[in-house]
Each structure stands twice: as C-alpha cells, then as structure tokens.
Amino acid sequence: MPPNDAKLDTRARILRAATDLLAAGGRNAVTTRAVSAAAGVQPPTIYRHFGDMQGLFEAVARETFATYAREKASRPLTNDPVEDLRQAWDLHIAVSLAHPDVFALLYSAPSVDAYRRVIDEGVALLQALVARIAEAGRLRVDVAHATNLLHAAGTGVTLTLAATPPEDRDPRLSETMREAILTAITIPASAEAPNGTPDAATAHQRVAVHAIALQALLTETPSVLSPAERQLLSDWLDQLATTRSPGAPMRRASDSPRS
C-alpha cells in the first residue's frame, strides 16, 4: 500500500485505487482484482462498500466532479455574471480533459442513465450561473434553454477534444464555441443603437430580457403569488420574453408550457 494511503479509511483507499487505475488504463483496467490489490483489501470489501463495480464507478465519477464543484464554488464571483460563466466554462473543460475517462463514463451510452445524478448536479451549478445573468437583465433566452445550450455545447467540445490526440487538438475550438454560445444567449451590458438611442428592435429586446430576469427572480420567492397567479404571470412573461421585434408573432398564453 502506498505510504500516502496509510491514513485513508478503507472506502477512500478503494476510491483512490479505482480513480488511479481508471486514469492510467481506462475502464478495462478497473477490475475487482486490480482495485483490491491496489487498495490493499479483499475483493468482498469493494462490494460491501459500493454494492458492485457499477456503484464503484459512480462513486469515482461523483468524487471527481465533487472536487471540481468545490473548486468552482470556492472561486469568488464578480460583478460580471457573463465573465463568471466564461471562467466556469474554461474550468469545466480543463477539469474534464484532465479526467477524460471519468467524463467518458458519464456520457457513454448505454450507461449514461446510471450517472444521471452526477450529471444533474453539474447542470444545477451551471444553471445557477445562468440565472445570475438573467437576474442582471442580460439573458436573451430563458434560463432552462440557455443552460441546455451550454451543457450540450460543453459536452460536445469535451468529447471532441478528448477523442483527439493532444498534439492534434485545435486550441481555438473551446474558445470559439464558448463565445458563439455566449453571443447567442446574452446581450452586452449596454445595448444601444449606433446613434446612442434605443431603436425599436432594441426596445423589444430590453422588454424580453427584463421579462426573463423577472422569471428568474420569481423562482426565489414562489410564495408571493398563488399557483394560479404564478401560472398567469408566467404566461405573460413568456410571451414578453419571446416577442423580440415589432414583426415577431404574438404567442397565446395557451401556447406556453404548463408546469
């Protein structure tokens, strides 16, 4: 047993052994025999702590990304929520590429459902960052849609880069995708027409982003309205958020998704 593992409890030793084996040799290297030998335990001990090898893999994924989440949470937020999201994107890509086999576990079919809780925890962190942008009145689309776009784009970039030999990776890929998504979902801190006065399209855009901002803020105080009132206001805000130009089609409240 490595000296640094001497003070770890049994469960932590098994987790470290599985994590190290996964990083060194991929999923096929993480066998019951290999893990038990590396952790200095008998094979039944693994099953006693994790149920089965799938349970061990899930624990490895949770612990790896829990460490990332703690680092992410420890970073102080600034007054610019868009820049905070930009930094969070870069950190996520860096951590995922540092642990490509763990990331592949999360998104490789058919096992993706087994890691749904781990994935959802990460998406919740992302959504909180997006909600800050909405509350600042700088989000073009609703929080859920923006979160889904960022999650899909980040996942695609990571999988693409992880599948490419490091020497062949395009260093511009992540940044280009990041800025394309941010441009699509956010507005500048000050959105004005070239002559310095808001034009009609910009005025509609301001209405839309403020409607989205109010939608985000109301989720923090759900008790101020009755369920019926919340639904009615949600319908109105949804219509305001999706009508962005004088020629845009109006939506009926009945077209809005019901919660």
Side-chain angles (χ1 to χ4, degrees):
M1 181 189 312
N4 290 340
D5 285 356
K7 295 182 180 180
L8 295 178
D9 62 28
T10 301
R11 188 178 189 280
R13 292 205 312 274
I14 295 171
L15 266 177
R16 173 173 290 185
T19 301
D20 291 346
L21 287 166
L22 185 64
R27 183 165 185 165
N28 290 337
V30 188
T31 64
T32 302
R33 178 177 296 179
V35 172
S36 59
V41 300
Q42 294 299 315
T45 306
I46 298 173
Y47 298 99
R48 187 162 61 248
H49 283 277
F50 299 97
D52 54 21
M53 290 302 289
Q54 179 62 37
L56 176 57
F57 280 121
E58 291 175 21
V60 168
R62 281 197 304 272
E63 181 59 28
T64 299
F65 282 97
T67 301
Y68 151 67
R70 288 192 293 269
E71 180 182 351
K72 188 174 182 179
S74 69
R75 291 192 168 198
L77 296 175
T78 70
N79 292 327
D80 186 344
V82 175
E83 182 59 28
D84 289 336
L85 179 57
R86 181 178 282 111
Q87 296 300 320
W89 170 288
D90 290 344
L91 175 61
H92 176 76
I93 298 297
V95 170
S96 298
L97 290 179
H99 304 278
D101 292 294
V102 175
F103 193 85
L105 277 177
L106 298 182
Y107 291 97
S108 295
S111 61
V112 64
D113 286 342
Y115 301 99
R116 178 55 52 192
R117 185 169 66 171
V118 182
I119 294 171
D120 288 347
E121 289 170 358
V123 172
L125 291 173
L126 175 60
Q127 184 167 323
L129 290 169
V130 174
R132 290 185 68 236
I133 299 175
E135 292 166 9
R138 294 184 59 188
L139 197 64
R140 294 180 187 272
V141 299
D142 63 83
V143 171
H145 184 54
T147 301
N148 287 337
L149 283 172
L150 286 158
H151 179 230
T155 300
V157 167
T158 302
L159 290 174
T160 298
L161 291 175
T164 305
E167 64 274 13
D168 294 332
R169 290 174 184 169
D170 181 352
R172 303 163 299 174
L173 181 62
S174 177
E175 178 182 353
T176 302
M177 180 65 80
R178 181 195 69 201
E179 293 308 308
I181 297 297
L182 288 179
T183 298
I185 68 173
T186 67
I187 65 170
S190 177
E192 292 186 339
N195 62 3
T197 58
D199 60 15
T202 303
H204 279 76
Q205 183 183 71
R206 293 202 312 278
V207 170
V209 297
H210 285 299
I212 292 167
L214 185 54
Q215 285 175 323
L217 288 167
L218 285 175
T219 62
E220 300 178 5
T221 55
S223 60
V224 298
L225 298 172
S226 70
E229 290 169 335
R230 285 201 307 274
Q231 183 59 63
L232 180 59
L233 181 57
S234 177
D235 288 339
W236 288 343
L237 291 175
D238 184 59
Q239 181 166 315
L240 290 172
T242 53
T243 306
R244 294 189 175 84
S245 64
M250 297 294 289
R251 290 180 54 180
R252 298 171 301 170
S254 59
D255 294 331
S256 301
R258 298 282 170 173
S259 56

